[in-house]
Amino acid sequence: MNTGADEPLLAFRITVPAGAEDDACAVLWDRGTRGVQVDPGAGGTVVLLAYFSEAAVTPDLTSDLGLLGTVEPTAIPDVDWVARFRESFHAFDVGGFRVVPVWEPAPRHARTLVVDPGRAFGTGTHESTALCLETLEEIAREQALGRTLDLGAGTGILAIAAVRLGAAPVVALDIDPESTQAVVEHARRNDAPVHAVRGDGARALRGLFDTLLANLTCPLLCEQAATIRERMGTGSRLVTSGFLDEDLPEVEAAFASAALARTRRRNGWTCAVFTT
Ligand code: SAH
């Protein structure tokens, strides 16, 4: 649920006919709800538990809610969202890696990636991250990863995976200060020498990289293509993801001066490797 830091919230229990659930939810979002929980009700109804910031609860809002169905103000359930999330996030395997959340004991496994899910993206659960991890592993079986750049590092999960696969030195760059902080923290927890850099794209970097990882979006990849390409020498490889299958031609066009060497796909997401 998207709540502001310590924003005081009020909750309403609204009972509507099951068939009206979608329309009622649309109205709730339109009126600024902070989150809706849907539970089955009695006799073909559903119960919508809708949260609103205290400031948003005006007489107009309550009369609008009354048009949807039976409304009762209700106490906010005392839910520990962090504990709820932790219960749902357990260690899992992706390729030959074992991703372990910080609150579970890390096994003595050479390819363990300890993650602390927080504000930075990159726990390995997203298809694009998983595809990059598997592709990186496949590449490392064939050649040394060498000097490696993780562009748009998030938590730094790909950079740490590269270290596990023998890459050195490894630079993890992100535009978001929270990510750079997360990279430092993850590098420490994983005992992985990763150099965290804050910057907008690869333009701030010098020198060439043998392996480059860029799990960005299609527009970002296209925007950053020229500066990424400048950091690739002869024989470099670039692992890209974060875009949908149908966007591959656009990404390929952006990296037209490199060759599309392989692709890997899952649930509509593509990972493409370009070589120079
Ligand atoms: N590498 C991680 C995270 C990918 S999310 C993984 O594979 O799971 C993409 C990241 O790119 C975000 O952390 C975002 O802050 C970063 N990013 C977006 N635009 C950027 C830019 N112009 N320069 C550097 N990083 C950028």
Side-chain angles (χ1 to χ4, degrees):
M1 193 172 40
N2 174 26
T3 64
D6 287 317
E7 181 185 50
L9 292 178
L10 295 175
F12 296 91
R13 194 180 295 278
I14 307 150
T15 307
V16 302
E21 175 189 328
D22 289 350
D23 288 346
C25 285
V27 170
L28 291 171
W29 286 108
D30 190 52
R31 298 290 188 275
T33 185
R34 293 301 190 188
V36 186
Q37 180 185 320
V38 182
D39 292 304
T45 63
V46 289
V47 179
L48 309 173
L49 182 62
Y51 297 83
F52 286 90
S53 72
E54 215 172 73
V57 179
T58 58
D60 271 1
L61 176 80
T62 39
S63 77
D64 282 356
L65 297 185
L67 298 175
L68 298 175
T70 318
V71 183
E72 305 158 68
T74 179
I76 303 271
D78 185 15
V79 177
D80 182 342
W81 295 105
V82 173
R84 179 78 68 91
F85 175 74
R86 287 182 171 211
E87 278 163 25
S88 67
F89 192 109
H90 297 294
F92 62 97
D93 293 321
V94 42
F97 295 101
R98 179 92 179 140
V99 177
V100 183
V102 280
W103 55 87
E104 284 187 11
R108 291 237 158 265
H109 182 305
R111 300 241 173 115
T112 296
L113 304 173
V114 177
V115 294
D116 186 4
R119 274 179 253 217
F121 187 99
T123 57
T125 51
H126 192 267
E127 281 85 350
S128 61
T129 314
L131 289 168
C132 288
L133 288 169
E134 292 164 358
T135 302
L136 192 60
E137 205 173 18
E138 192 175 271
I139 293 172
R141 275 199 291 272
E142 296 160 13
Q143 58 218 140
L145 296 179
R147 193 169 138 85
T148 297
L149 170 66
D150 179 4
L151 177 63
T155 57
I157 187 170
L158 301 181
I160 294 161
V163 170
R164 295 282 186 265
L165 296 169
V170 177
V171 176
L173 179 137
D174 206 290
I175 195 168
D176 180 351
E178 288 199 12
S179 291
T180 359
Q181 223 179 321
V183 169
V184 170
E185 179 63 13
H186 279 82
R188 187 186 62 74
R189 280 193 188 279
N190 284 278
D191 197 16
V194 169
H195 181 50
V197 177
R198 186 173 162 212
D200 178 1
R203 64 176 57 83
L205 300 169
R206 298 277 161 268
L208 301 176
F209 293 87
D210 304 302
T211 304
L212 299 91
L213 298 149
N215 184 10
L216 303 170
T217 58
C218 175
L220 265 173
L221 282 168
C222 295
E223 181 193 307
Q224 300 287 331
T227 42
I228 292 175
R229 184 66 185 80
E230 279 169 19
R231 304 270 69 87
M232 299 175 76
T234 310
S236 298
R237 60 215 74 93
L238 164 69
V239 179
T240 61
S241 193
F243 55 91
L244 302 173
D245 298 344
E246 59 263 32
D247 293 328
L248 178 59
E250 207 178 319
V251 175
E252 208 179 340
F255 291 100
S257 61
L260 177 63
R262 65 180 101 190
T263 55
R264 187 181 274 267
R265 296 193 156 99
R266 185 164 310 140
N267 297 338
W269 295 89
T270 288
C271 173
V273 181
F274 295 93
T275 52
T276 49

